[in-house]
Amino acid sequence: MATLRNRLHTTETTKERPETDSQQIVTNNNNDGKQQGKEAATKNAEPKEKSDRMIYIIFLSLLFDLLAFTIILPLLPSLLEYYRVNDSSGLYNVLTERVRWFQQLLGAPERYISVLFGGFLGSMYSFLQFLASPIVGGLSDYYGRKPVLLVCASGIALSYLLWACSGNFALFVLARFVGGISKGNISLCMSVITDVSSVKTRGRGMALVGVAFSLGFIVGPMIGAMFAIFSNKSASGGAWFVLPSLLALGLALGDLLVLTCCLRETLPKEKRVKEISSALSYGLQLLNVSSIFRFAAIKNVPKKDKDALQSIGMIYFLYLFLYSGLEFTVTFLMYHKFGYTSMDQAKMFLTTGVIMTLIQGSVVRRLPDAKIKSYAIFSLYLIVPAFVLVGLAEGSRMLYAGMILFAISTAFAVTCLTTLVSKYGNDDQKGSVLGIFRSLGALARALGPVVGSIAFWCVGSKITYIAGGILLVYPAIALQRAHI
């Protein structure tokens, strides 16, 4: 009996042992899980890295600047018509006489001369930006960001004051000249964000810049149009543009006040370049047209990467050259062909601006890297029917259809191309790569409006937009074939 009891006891113990071991394993797993949970909780409890306050100051500064800048967009055709009739300086008439023989040769309507002059003004403004931005950037590396930003903001405010006083065409041209050469503030704002942000917070800063641009291009034209209506320009026949220009001046002064009182210097003296000559050398390289197409400043990278940079750069330049020429003349198309008022044009800007903002905020910023090239190709192809529709449009419905396609394409194109090019170059060359890329864009915008306006003036809107749309097939095909 004792033996039987011992055997039974041994069996029970054996049965219980696996259960005990199993419990021990579960206990250990639970302990491990708790430990991992604690580690995860500790990681989650780590304070999220905050963005520097200067990023929000830059956002506010850019918002003021872009609101002031975009007020004039729906007013430009009306402004040039005003100077055609009321120019006391005689400059408009002198320029008209200079091109009249060419106008008669082509049979172009006299009222389209304002389109030609608008194109020259738009190209002059962009070309001055192309010249000023790299030089301003070099000066800020030597003197610091804040003093150079204050000089730029003061120049921009002066340009709006000159606009408010521009009772003649010569003074208006001077105002645009001063504004263009002072427009290096955008690139300086990017430099400030780079100065004060880490790799983690830089994306947030650049996103705020995008928000400022979107808000500026949505709200600014609406404000300009409302002020034009409030001024009752059609009834008074006077200097109806004074109120919009004074509002732009007020916004520019607000920008200047924000920078003066709230912006701290973000580039300490120990990090600045020691000699102004070395500060300007890189900026001067960006003015050499041949070198920026070759990305000559980017060295010690594989030949494959250099070829890819040159391919993307050429595609971007051709796209933006054709695109900016057609984009610039849209306001003249709406004014001359469709009889759109400043408010009608502002509604069009509002529609396209809202579409671009929604797409950029909901789709573009979430695109995976693997699909960036595909969406870039899609956007380049989409702009083709957009401009063809605009050229063929005889009524507002088809015009809006073309402009909606234009907005969808625009929301993807530049962002995707910029993302593609940013993948190339060593870590310490990313800024240089993007700087060269921006210079190519500025050069394209300097040439595109004048070429587009000449085409509009010479052969009319339909041929200009259809031909421009068809030519935009080439950058799309080139990107599709590029090994990047």
Side-chain angles (χ1 to χ4, degrees), residues 230-246:
F230 180 73
S231 302
N232 197 15
K233 65 178 196 284
S234 58
S236 64
W240 53 268
F241 54 82
V242 171
L243 279 177
S245 59
L246 287 178

Side-chain angles (χ1 to χ4, degrees), residues 422-474:
S422 67
K423 296 178 182 179
Y424 296 95
N426 303 321
D427 289 341
D428 60 346
Q429 295 175 323
K430 299 293 187 184
S432 299
V433 167
L434 291 173
I436 294 170
F437 196 65
R438 283 195 297 266
S439 290
L440 285 170
L443 182 61
R445 286 192 174 276
L447 298 174
V450 69
V451 174
S453 298
I454 289 173
F456 190 110
W457 183 66
C458 292
V459 298
S461 60
K462 181 176 288 188
I463 295 176
T464 298
Y465 281 90
I466 293 174
I470 292 170
L471 288 173
L472 278 163
V473 171
Y474 177 76

Side-chain angles (χ1 to χ4, degrees), residues 83-282:
Y83 290 122
R84 184 178 70 85
V85 177
N86 300 288
D87 181 29
S88 58
S89 68
L91 178 62
Y92 197 102
N93 290 331
V94 169
L95 294 175
T96 300
E97 291 301 322
R98 293 289 178 89
V99 298
R100 192 172 299 282
W101 67 271
F102 194 51
Q103 173 199 351
Q104 292 171 349
L105 178 65
L106 296 169
E110 186 171 342
R111 65 195 179 104
Y112 282 0
I113 288 180
S114 64
V115 183
L116 183 66
F117 292 165
F120 277 108
L121 284 174
S123 287
M124 179 192 75
Y125 197 89
S126 296
F127 183 69
L128 290 169
Q129 281 183 269
F130 169 71
L131 293 177
S133 292
I135 295 173
V136 162
L139 290 173
S140 75
D141 287 339
Y142 181 76
Y143 291 107
R145 311 295 190 213
K146 184 171 181 176
V148 181
L149 255 176
L150 290 175
V151 171
C152 289
S154 300
I156 291 168
L158 176 61
S159 73
Y160 294 131
L161 178 61
L162 289 171
W163 177 28
C165 300
S166 60
N168 58 64
F169 188 57
L171 199 54
F172 179 69
V173 172
L174 178 62
R176 300 300 287 170
F177 182 90
V178 172
I181 209 164
S182 303
K183 222 34 175 141
N185 64 318
I186 303 292
S187 59
L188 276 185
C189 287
M190 303 293 189
S191 298
V192 170
I193 289 174
T194 303
D195 291 341
V196 300
S197 60
S198 64
V199 174
K200 292 181 179 179
T201 60
R202 191 167 300 154
R204 281 177 250 159
M206 294 303 176
L208 279 176
V209 171
V211 171
F213 269 88
S214 297
L215 289 174
F217 278 85
I218 290 172
V219 179
M222 291 293 292
I223 294 174
M226 286 188 289
F227 265 82
I229 292 171
F230 180 73
S231 302
N232 197 15
K233 65 178 196 284
S234 58
S236 64
W240 53 268
F241 54 82
V242 171
L243 279 177
S245 59
L246 287 178
L247 176 60
L249 174 61
L251 289 167
L253 291 175
D255 179 22
L256 188 58
L257 185 64
V258 166
L259 293 174
T260 303
C261 300
C262 303
L263 184 70
R264 72 167 190 270
E265 178 53 60
T266 60
L267 187 66
K269 290 185 177 180
E270 61 270 17
K271 291 186 178 181
R272 298 179 196 174
V273 295
K274 305 304 178 186
E275 297 180 3
I276 193 169
S277 58
S278 59
L280 292 175
S281 61
Y282 174 69

Side-chain angles (χ1 to χ4, degrees), residues 30 68 141 154 168 285-286 314 329 342 347 403 416 439 463 476:
N30 287 340
D141 287 339
S154 300
N168 58 64
Q285 282 185 35
L286 295 183
M314 180 59 75
T329 54
S342 297
K347 288 176 182 176
M403 292 302 292
C416 290
S439 290
I463 295 176

Side-chain angles (χ1 to χ4, degrees), residues 52-62 258-259 262-263:
D52 193 286
R53 191 173 72 93
M54 290 304 103
I55 291 178
Y56 300 101
I57 299 301
I58 289 298
F59 166 76
L60 189 59
S61 169
L62 277 174
V258 166
L259 293 174
C262 303
L263 184 70

